[in-house]
Amino acid sequence: MNFRPPPAPLAASVAGDAPTPVWTRKAGRRLAGKVEVQGNTLYAGGLDRKVYAIDLASGDERWSARQSGMIVGGVLLVGDTLFVATSRPDGHVMALETAKGKRIWRASADPVAAPLAMIEGVLVVQTQRGEVLALNPHNGKPRWRRRVGTARGPAVPAGPGALLVSTTDSLFRLSLTDGSVTHRAVSPGAVLDAWLPYNGALVAGTSDSQVVAIQPQDLRAAWSLTVDAPVLGRPAALGDTMFLVTR
């Protein structure tokens, strides 16, 4: 791993001891994206079609719940409800209780392509056929749908009452009320992860070796920076410094 600029070395007395494993737990063949933590429990989705709840203190499995298809994008935790989406063989969106993994509701959808998002009380689903679905998070009933193109990263807020969807070639700002397109812009490159809200702008890395910032109200470019390789993950920020990992 290369750091640019290289960090100053730390003395051993300052760096402290290296971390040591507390426990190890196998959860399926591999995890399927984002995990969530609430209290002393970690929630995750596996490629074995199961959602897991793991005790963080001991590593013990509190419960697991098998779903109807391969889990896409990990899990989304809102309050005491977990939301999960699947792709093949069938696309579904499920709401599960965090206590025992009991299903609250299940809604049919085309195979899901990107992680779920909750924006102003609307559950946003993006499918492999390029549709954006807005679901009622309490019962899974659809509020609206809009075809824009296939996305890899989750939808993000784009100002009050709006969301941003990044397809392979375009950026779309949609109304949360009815899904209408309020603004559209050419994508600065393929954005494969979530946009980062930062100082009033939205920042993302692209597969074209760019870090870009846009204004969420109208999708206009604020600035861009070329880096040494594709950026496949979401940037991070601390104060006035931004951190990113290139491939």
Side-chain angles (χ1 to χ4, degrees):
M1 180 180 293
N2 295 320
F3 293 91
R4 299 182 178 85
L10 293 176
S13 59
V14 177
D17 297 330
T20 57
V22 176
W23 52 259
T24 301
R25 178 74 191 190
K26 183 176 177 61
R29 291 177 293 167
R30 183 163 62 88
L31 298 185
K34 187 179 71 169
V35 303
E36 294 272 19
V37 174
Q38 185 179 70
N40 197 39
T41 306
L42 179 145
Y43 301 96
L47 293 184
D48 58 351
R49 304 188 181 188
K50 288 184 178 181
V51 178
Y52 293 89
I54 305 297
D55 185 289
L56 285 177
S58 63
D60 293 339
E61 180 183 305
R62 292 186 168 177
W63 55 259
S64 64
R66 185 172 176 83
Q67 307 305 311
S68 59
M70 184 178 293
I71 296 172
V72 175
V75 297
L76 174 66
L77 176 63
V78 181
D80 58 359
T81 304
L82 278 174
F83 298 95
V84 185
T86 62
S87 58
R88 58 182 186 270
D90 297 310
H92 289 100
V93 181
M94 284 75 63
L96 309 177
E97 295 178 351
T98 55
K100 298 292 184 181
K102 180 181 178 181
R103 183 191 299 166
I104 302 171
W105 54 257
R106 183 174 75 169
S108 296
D110 290 327
V112 176
L116 302 175
M118 185 73 73
I119 302 176
E120 295 185 22
V122 176
L123 184 61
V124 181
V125 183
Q126 299 174 96
T127 74
Q128 294 179 11
R129 295 187 179 181
E131 280 194 328
V132 181
L133 307 178
L135 302 183
N136 184 324
H138 302 292
N139 54 27
K141 294 187 180 300
R143 294 181 175 177
W144 52 261
R145 64 180 63 215
R146 177 72 57 184
R147 185 180 295 275
V148 295
T150 304
R152 291 281 300 275
V156 297
L163 62 91
L164 170 68
V165 172
S166 305
T167 69
T168 54
D169 59 5
S170 298
L171 305 178
F172 293 88
R173 186 178 188 267
L174 306 182
S175 167
L176 276 168
T177 303
D178 58 8
S180 58
V181 178
T182 66
H183 297 80
R184 179 177 180 177
V186 175
S187 177
V191 177
L192 305 180
D193 207 334
W195 290 77
L196 172 72
Y198 183 72
N199 288 345
L202 292 173
V203 181
T206 76
S207 61
D208 298 334
S209 305
Q210 296 278 327
V211 182
V212 297
I214 62 171
Q215 300 296 338
Q217 296 82 3
D218 54 17
L219 307 186
R220 291 185 180 180
W223 53 262
S224 65
L225 173 69
T226 300
V227 293
D228 62 344
V231 182
L232 306 184
R234 186 190 195 194
L238 179 64
D240 60 356
T241 304
M242 187 163 293
F243 304 89
L244 56 103
V245 178
T246 60
R247 190 171 73 177

